[in-house]
Amino acid sequence: MTDTLDEVRIGGLGASRRRAEDARFIRGRGTYVDDVVLPGMLHMEILRSPLAHARITSIDTSAAWAIPGVRLVLTGEMAAQRNLAWMPTLSYDTQAVLATDKVRFQGQEVACVVADDPYIARDAVEAIVVEYEALPPVVNPKQAMEPGAPVIRDDKEGQTDNLTYRWDVGDAAATERAFAEADTVSTLSLHYPRSHPSPLEPCGSIADFDVATGKLTIYMTSQAPHIIRSAVALVAELPEHMIRVISPDLGGGFGNKVPVYPGYVCSILCSILTGKPVKWVEDRSSNLSSTGFGRDMYLDGELALRSDGRILGVRMHVTTDQGAFFADAQPSKFKVGLLHSAFACYDVPVGHISAHGAYTNKAPGGVAYRCSFRVTEAMYFQERMVQAAADDLGMDQAEFRRINLLHDDAFPARTPFGFLVDSGQYGKCLQLGLDAIGYQDFVAEQAAARARGRLLGIGISTMTEPLGAGNSREYDILGIKMFDSAELRVHPTGKAMLRTGARSQGQGHETTWAQIVAHELGLPADDVVVEEGDTDTAPYGMGTYASRSTPVAGAAVSMVSRKIRAKARKLAAHLLEVSEEDVEWELGRFHVRGAPERGVTIQECAAAAYTNMPDGMEPGLEGNAYYDPPNLTWPFACYIAIVEVDPETGVWDVLRFVAVDDCGVRINPMIVEGQIMGGLTEAYAMASMQFQTYDAEGNIVGSNFMDYLLPTAWETPGFELHEVVTPCPHHPIGAKGIGECATVGGPAAFVNAVHDAIRHTGVRNVDMPLLPDRVWEALRTGHDY
Ligand code: MCN
């Protein structure tokens, strides 16, 4: 057994160790793609379409070529000659690298220029003359599905309308029967608006094709460098062992850096064509208008209810706006990611989801923005429907949840759509949240305040989230095996180097992985250096998204450390001159059973591995491990907001916010709290101000931070954090993911609170973001907005 006090001293499990990476980040010494300068490097700039829908009648690049310092002007036709006209999206659709026939959204890539410096490249882009024949744009998925709507993807064989996919999940007939038996049916229609992750650092790449060796090195903003390497090998038909992808420090990702974007492909092609390194770094406006949108989903939801408050069944009709290319970060079998994780924390016997998507003249949407593949929408819809149902039954919203949440003895529990939720203490989390916020006192205060004309509201959101994106033997989520990896080398002096196939974008892996090694081996965490993001050195991994790093790569770190410990035990037996069975482990040390004073440290074992191993033992103390999890991890959260709505202006303020998170064992509680606070800030952003929209002509409205609003520290409310720990039964150290929970579950708490404050008006729904004018209109008219 390990000693807790010692764990804290060496920076092991449960220590709120300061973040190792911050030493360089807060001094401005991080190395981001834009900091990388290679000899002879050229610069690339992209020409984007000003129109949302138009036929390209001609592209004249002659004036651009004539500008001194221009080395290459690339069009889609030239890309096609290299078989790179199209690139795969994350959903087996294809996206034009550079448009040739038509442009299908404002901001679409049409051509690019490579020049000696970025300013020449930008000037030259403006010198390209493209003639367009404007076509009518469609920016709403419901209009896109109307007969006679212009067909956006006429490039796709057999595509005669704008339907992207249809998908059904659940048992329609059994759900029908549940609705027939219901005392009440509660209905709600909602829109989850389009949103953009907007990381601090936009996307970029430097492709460096070495004509002498044929090796391609790509520095790029990627959350999944190994997958990118395989994709480049397959798409560009280059040998994978001759491709090195380096993802240096990332200034945030939030899902924005998972997909392949045309800019990456263009920089690779331009480097091959010029024989020089080619750098492309997009500006804020490009990032906000053409990469990585999430959400944009419409719901018509119904809950079948018994009069005592039990949910008998759920039905969800969903429409997604995919934009011009189907780039949804979807698992292969499921067209809307893990949307069917809806109601996973409730004891709901049956359910049915029918979904379809539509192409529109908007940038590709549906990319996983801090959502574990559409779980953000699932939980928002779920929690808004739950609150509406409680209201419809005239029940207290906390009591309604208490009745329907899975009870502790229900685990493992099968959800209405087939997931297996393995563990949790949902009632305890809810109660802790209610106690922390003083629920009963507030309800009394709310009534008194209302009598005085003050509009106070309280909103609850309880949710679980399938985190881990790994193969599940229980439930074949992704249709492919998904795993992650770790490689650990303990040097002769007892210092260690750990590499994983994940890629931190700010989450703190350099700190927490060292803590897992410290926990397993007793090495001080400061003696463990962690590296990620270089495919030439790190073992093959699937990357960091869907909060999968702790559930999968973190587990691999544990496993490889245990392998090292097993070898160290043999070395200890040799050094102590006893049999292996007579050797006992304590944190950082082996001793002889029954003689604790006779021992050797893990560092002494490391030295022996290189200098004094037993005859026949392979030298060295290193190894690797691949972890293929048997299930997802299922963290749980209860978020409760108290707000006050100003009846004169519709402005709402958050008076208090309580968060109770159960992510199993916390490796680093401080980092976990940072993840929760960051996630709640994004949740508040979505509830209050952040959304991306287009006008009727298909012009994007939020392509800069004047129009696309994010909350600053000034607007962001304070969060009161609490924890419950239910260890994950299948993870070696009992940890579950946490990175997305607060973004996923947070929005409904804010929105439910505002609805609670204005419920006397009869308004059922105001869509996010709850801008003051929307709330004010709803208050004034009593209509949904
Ligand atoms: N952790 C822990 N104990 C746990 C669970 C996690 O100490 N029980 C720690 C981890 O070791 C890690 C951090 O918390 O340092 C987040 O872990 P995890 O939940 O495994 O999530 P990932 O590392 O896989 O990160 C992905 C997740 C996602 S999907 C998005 S999007 C996101 C997020 O994390 N993007 C982020 N958080 C972000 N935080 C920052 N700063 N920047 C981003 O781009």
Side-chain angles (χ1 to χ4, degrees):
M1 274 303 291
T2 55
D3 180 294
T4 318
L5 273 180
D6 279 352
E7 287 252 16
V8 172
R9 191 162 50 80
I10 63 169
L13 204 61
S16 281
R17 175 175 181 243
R18 284 193 184 175
R19 293 174 23 126
E21 45 274 83
D22 285 353
R24 64 178 190 282
F25 289 162
I26 61 180
R27 291 184 179 117
R29 303 299 290 267
T31 304
Y32 302 89
V33 163
D34 203 22
D35 295 318
V36 177
V37 177
L38 300 179
M41 189 170 77
L42 303 174
H43 299 265
M44 189 186 98
E45 186 64 47
I46 293 176
L47 175 69
R48 295 176 182 280
S49 167
L51 300 176
H53 200 194
R55 201 170 304 287
I56 297 175
T57 53
S58 68
I59 303 178
D60 181 355
T61 59
S62 52
W65 275 108
I67 293 175
V70 168
R71 303 295 191 96
L72 180 68
V73 185
L74 187 74
T75 61
E77 263 176 33
M78 292 161 74
Q81 286 160 15
R82 305 292 297 218
N83 280 337
L84 281 175
W86 298 88
M87 52 177 227
T89 66
L90 289 168
S91 19
Y92 312 106
D93 193 4
T94 50
Q95 176 170 348
V97 172
L98 295 171
T100 46
D101 56 337
K102 267 169 80 173
V103 285
R104 293 176 168 85
F105 66 92
Q106 188 185 58
Q108 187 176 351
E109 298 79 358
V110 177
C112 70
V113 172
V114 176
D116 289 342
D117 73 42
Y119 309 102
I120 297 173
R122 184 158 278 222
D123 286 347
V125 152
E126 286 172 13
I128 300 173
V129 181
V130 184
E131 283 182 9
Y132 296 101
E133 179 192 316
L135 298 167
V138 190
V139 291
N140 178 299
K142 292 183 182 168
Q143 284 164 6
M145 292 304 294
E146 280 169 10
V151 179
I152 295 164
R153 293 301 304 279
D154 51 355
D155 56 303
K156 286 183 82 173
E157 219 180 297
Q159 182 83 40
T160 53
D161 57 20
N162 291 316
L163 182 72
T164 318
Y165 68 87
R166 270 193 200 287
W167 184 54
D168 264 68
V169 61
D171 187 334
T175 308
E176 192 68 48
R177 286 195 293 278
F179 274 78
E181 285 164 17
D183 295 324
T184 309
V185 173
S186 175
T187 61
L188 195 65
S189 296
L190 304 173
H191 177 225
Y192 203 129
R194 185 172 262 246
S195 215
H196 193 283
S198 49
L200 217 54
E201 176 208 24
C203 298
S205 56
I206 303 171
D208 181 12
F209 183 70
D210 185 332
V211 281
T213 62
K215 181 150 186 170
L216 174 67
T217 303
I218 316 163
Y219 297 82
M220 71 189 294
T221 48
S222 173
Q223 297 176 220
H226 283 95
I227 294 186
I228 291 284
R229 186 182 68 184
S230 300
V232 170
L234 294 171
V235 174
E237 293 179 9
L238 293 169
E240 191 164 1
H241 67 297
M242 296 298 276
I243 303 170
R244 177 181 189 185
V245 177
I246 301 172
S247 179
D249 286 330
L250 295 178
F254 306 107
N256 190 236
K257 292 167 182 168
V258 177
V260 176
Y261 294 120
Y264 298 148
V265 181
C266 288
S267 69
I268 293 169
L269 188 48
C270 289
S271 178
I272 292 171
L273 293 175
T274 59
K276 299 271 187 188
V278 173
K279 179 190 264 188
W280 165 69
V281 178
E282 65 179 358
D283 60 16
R284 177 62 55 194
S285 172
S286 300
N287 182 257
L288 276 175
S289 54
S290 66
T291 61
F293 291 96
R295 333 290 193 233
D296 219 346
M297 193 188 283
Y298 296 80
L299 166 83
D300 292 309
E302 299 167 280
L303 281 183
L305 303 166
R306 223 165 50 190
S307 53
D308 64 0
R310 280 302 307 266
I311 304 173
L312 301 179
V314 53
R315 229 171 0 212
M316 295 166 75
H317 307 276
V318 160
T319 306
T320 57
D321 183 337
Q322 297 300 149
F325 301 98
F326 188 17
D328 217 310
Q330 55 144 8
S332 56
K333 285 200 299 194
F334 310 127
K335 302 296 177 201
V336 200
L338 303 186
L339 179 74
H340 54 312
S341 60
F343 290 87
C345 63
Y346 292 107
D347 184 7
V348 179
V350 286
H352 181 238
I353 297 176
S354 64
H356 70 270
Y359 288 118
T360 59
N361 290 116
K362 292 152 88 171
V367 168
Y369 164 21
R370 212 167 185 181
C371 69
S372 193
F373 303 139
R374 299 285 199 183
V375 183
T376 308
E377 292 95 313
M379 296 305 146
Y380 179 67
F381 292 163
Q382 165 194 299
E383 286 308 292
R384 291 287 298 118
M385 287 168 73
V386 161
Q387 196 200 33
D391 280 353
D392 289 344
L393 288 172
M395 276 184 77
D396 174 78
Q397 52 177 320
E399 183 58 19
F400 184 78
R401 286 184 172 81
R402 213 187 324 262
I403 291 172
N404 287 293
L405 281 171
L406 287 170
H407 294 169
D408 294 2
D409 56 5
F411 299 103
R414 191 65 70 178
T415 77
F417 303 111
F419 291 96
L420 192 77
V421 186
D422 54 23
S423 59
Q425 301 179 72
Y426 299 172
K428 183 176 174 183
C429 285
L430 174 63
Q431 195 54 50
L432 184 54
L434 296 173
D435 291 345
I437 205 125
Y439 186 71
Q440 291 308 337
D441 291 348
F442 173 78
V443 172
E445 184 192 330
Q446 181 185 30
R450 191 151 296 173
R452 296 196 303 275
R454 283 182 67 197
L455 302 181
L456 299 183
I458 190 159
I460 304 175
S461 173
T462 43
M463 63 112 209
T464 184
E465 192 187 358
L467 289 184
N471 176 53
S472 163
R473 283 184 276 280
E474 257 306 320
Y475 191 67
D476 184 12
I477 298 290
L478 300 185
I480 57 164
K481 301 268 182 193
M482 288 192 80
F483 57 84
D484 230 293
S485 58
E487 182 195 271
L488 181 60
R489 292 183 179 180
V490 183
H491 305 313
T493 54
K495 312 286 180 193
M497 160 70 74
L498 177 89
R499 295 189 173 101
T500 84
R503 185 37 170 151
S504 185
Q505 312 121 46
Q507 291 89 344
H509 295 175
E510 288 173 45
T511 309
T512 48
W513 297 165
Q515 291 186 241
I516 297 177
V517 176
H519 166 69
E520 298 288 0
L521 291 180
L523 291 174
D526 287 346
D527 286 355
V528 184
V529 164
V530 175
E531 278 186 6
E532 292 179 339
D534 183 342
T535 57
D536 263 14
T537 55
Y540 199 100
M542 298 280 185
T544 290
Y545 42 86
S547 303
R548 63 188 303 279
S549 304
T550 302
V552 195
V557 175
S558 252
M559 308 297 280
V560 72
S561 304
R562 289 177 190 183
K563 280 187 184 175
I564 298 284
R565 195 167 77 203
K567 183 168 182 186
R569 176 185 291 276
K570 293 187 197 304
L571 287 156
H574 168 65
L575 294 175
L576 294 166
E577 297 178 337
V578 293
S579 73
E580 218 184 308
E581 294 70 46
D582 287 331
V583 171
E584 286 198 342
W585 170 249
E586 60 189 283
L587 188 64
R589 186 172 178 271
F590 294 96
H591 65 255
V592 177
R593 187 186 308 275
E597 70 288 353
R598 279 193 64 211
V600 285
T601 62
I602 186 83
Q603 288 85 354
E604 287 167 321
C605 294
Y610 295 90
T611 57
N612 181 20
M613 55 282 187
D615 288 346
M617 179 186 273
E618 196 179 331
L621 195 55
E622 60 184 60
N624 60 18
Y626 285 79
Y627 186 69
D628 170 12
N631 197 349
L632 299 153
T633 69
W634 295 91
F636 181 79
C638 168
Y639 301 125
I640 309 181
I642 292 180
V643 303
E644 175 157 13
V645 177
D646 182 341
E648 303 295 324
T649 63
V651 169
W652 52 279
D653 288 322
V654 181
L655 304 185
R656 280 187 68 197
F657 194 101
V658 163
V660 184
D661 278 274
D662 180 354
C663 61
V665 173
R666 295 182 175 200
I667 304 162
N668 182 321
M670 180 192 70
I671 286 184
V672 167
E673 290 189 357
Q675 287 293 310
I676 297 167
M677 286 189 193
L680 287 175
T681 304
E682 281 184 86
Y684 173 69
M686 280 179 278
S688 64
M689 62 183 82
Q690 174 182 314
F691 72 129
Q692 190 63 273
T693 187
Y694 290 72
D695 69 14
E697 299 304 311
N699 298 308
I700 191 159
V701 176
S703 63
N704 59 66
F705 281 153
M706 294 296 284
D707 297 322
Y708 189 72
L709 299 183
L710 306 175
T712 64
W714 179 257
E715 289 97 5
T716 306
F719 306 115
E720 302 163 41
L721 308 187
H722 301 267
E723 71 169 319
V724 166
V725 176
T726 314
C728 172
H730 63 79
H731 190 279
I733 57 169
K736 304 177 181 183
I738 187 63
E740 293 152 301
C741 296
T743 322
V744 167
F750 294 108
V751 175
N752 282 346
V754 173
H755 280 88
D756 188 50
I758 64 170
R759 102 140 83 95
H760 61 285
T761 58
V763 170
R764 277 185 88 68
N765 182 56
V766 179
D767 274 328
M768 287 195 293
L770 297 173
L771 301 170
D773 59 327
R774 293 182 180 189
V775 178
W776 182 77
E777 275 295 344
L779 272 170
R780 196 176 62 86
T781 61
H783 295 148
D784 288 7
Y785 201 88

